[in-house]
Amino acid sequence: MTSADPTLAVRVIPCLDVAAGRVVKGVNFLDLRDAGDPVELARTYYEQGADEITFLDVTATVDERATMYEVVRATAEQVFIPLTVGGGVRSTDDVARLQAAGADKIGINSAAIGRPDLVGEIADRFGAQAVVLSLDVKRSTRTPSGFVVTTHGGRTETDLDALEWAREAVERGAGELLVNSIDADGTREGFDLELVGLMRGVSRVPVVASGGAGSVEHFAPAIEAGADAVLAASVFHTGQLTVDDVKRELAASGILVRRSQEHS
């Protein structure tokens, strides 16, 4: 199995799932609970040494509305690391507005499944590095790989094999894969290492592992399975772990990380 490039520093990425302007967190994408103010949390993670911040507006597609421009703008004024924003993005004009608000990379999921040409349109206009394919994946016996892609915040199963869709999206111009395991989400039982490894095997672009982090020991195995970056939410929101805790454990495991720095 091909692994992530050991000469590149692994990224540690806090994820803020946002609904109605507040950070929320649930289990298996359900039973969402309030977890705080998105701008305040993003600032905290920046100060802890986060390499990037990911915002996912988890109800924008379900509610058929635009994503959270004001939250992105306020965060970009205080947080000077890359911001990835997803949820409710349906066109290149949506991407332009998000980048004007301060987003660096754009996560797309449901709209790209509905119209795959969107992947290439965004890549052509803004560059592949701006396109993050967000895959909300469930285990399934209906697909050859054993994994199926879902849409609308994990609420709707498609007929797409997760690996085939990832491969196609990369060919169309996606510059990164954000692989969210719905089965592992919020369980704190560890990343789905099989899923990470399979995605690494079909992708020539970076793979971000998401879903299931529950302890500091869970992160290194995801990198060893092939992830280029690790993303977590609830363990950071509750204060159970800090970004620096994760980086220290990764470094102790012999994994190259960017050194956490205090920001004034």
Side-chain angles (χ1 to χ4, degrees), residues 63-78:
D63 296 344
E64 297 185 350
R65 60 174 171 77
T67 195
M68 44 188 184
Y69 299 104
E70 290 309 313
V71 169
V72 174
R73 188 172 291 108
T75 302
E77 291 173 355
Q78 301 184 35

Side-chain angles (χ1 to χ4, degrees), residues 57-103:
D57 191 328
V58 295
T59 59
T61 298
V62 175
D63 296 344
E64 297 185 350
R65 60 174 171 77
T67 195
M68 44 188 184
Y69 299 104
E70 290 309 313
V71 169
V72 174
R73 188 172 291 108
T75 302
E77 291 173 355
Q78 301 184 35
V79 172
F80 306 106
I81 52 178
L83 301 178
T84 297
V85 183
V89 176
R90 302 176 183 85
S91 69
T92 59
D93 288 342
D94 290 340
V95 175
R97 284 191 289 270
L98 279 170
Q99 289 202 334

Side-chain angles (χ1 to χ4, degrees), residues 145-224:
S145 72
F147 293 94
V148 68
V149 175
T150 70
T151 64
H152 297 80
R155 293 168 176 81
T156 304
E157 285 195 17
T158 70
D159 293 323
L160 290 174
D161 183 290
L163 298 188
E164 289 303 317
W165 171 230
R167 185 184 287 112
E168 177 183 344
V170 170
E171 290 173 354
R172 288 178 175 272
E176 187 166 89
L177 301 179
L178 172 54
V179 183
N180 309 300
S181 169
I182 294 176
D183 302 297
D185 175 70
T187 64
R188 302 197 186 190
E189 295 177 356
F191 294 95
D192 188 327
L193 302 181
E194 180 186 3
L195 176 60
V196 172
L198 289 171
M199 284 291 175
R200 174 77 280 150
V202 301
S203 176
R204 65 177 184 270
V205 302
V207 172
V208 182
S210 170
S215 73
V216 73
E217 292 83 12
H218 286 153
F219 292 88
I223 301 303
E224 291 160 358

Side-chain angles (χ1 to χ4, degrees), residues 20 22 66 89 106 147 151 154 164 166 190 196-197 230 243 246 259:
R22 299 287 292 178
V89 176
I106 307 302
F147 293 94
T151 64
E164 289 303 317
V196 172
V230 282
V243 172
V246 174
R259 193 167 68 87

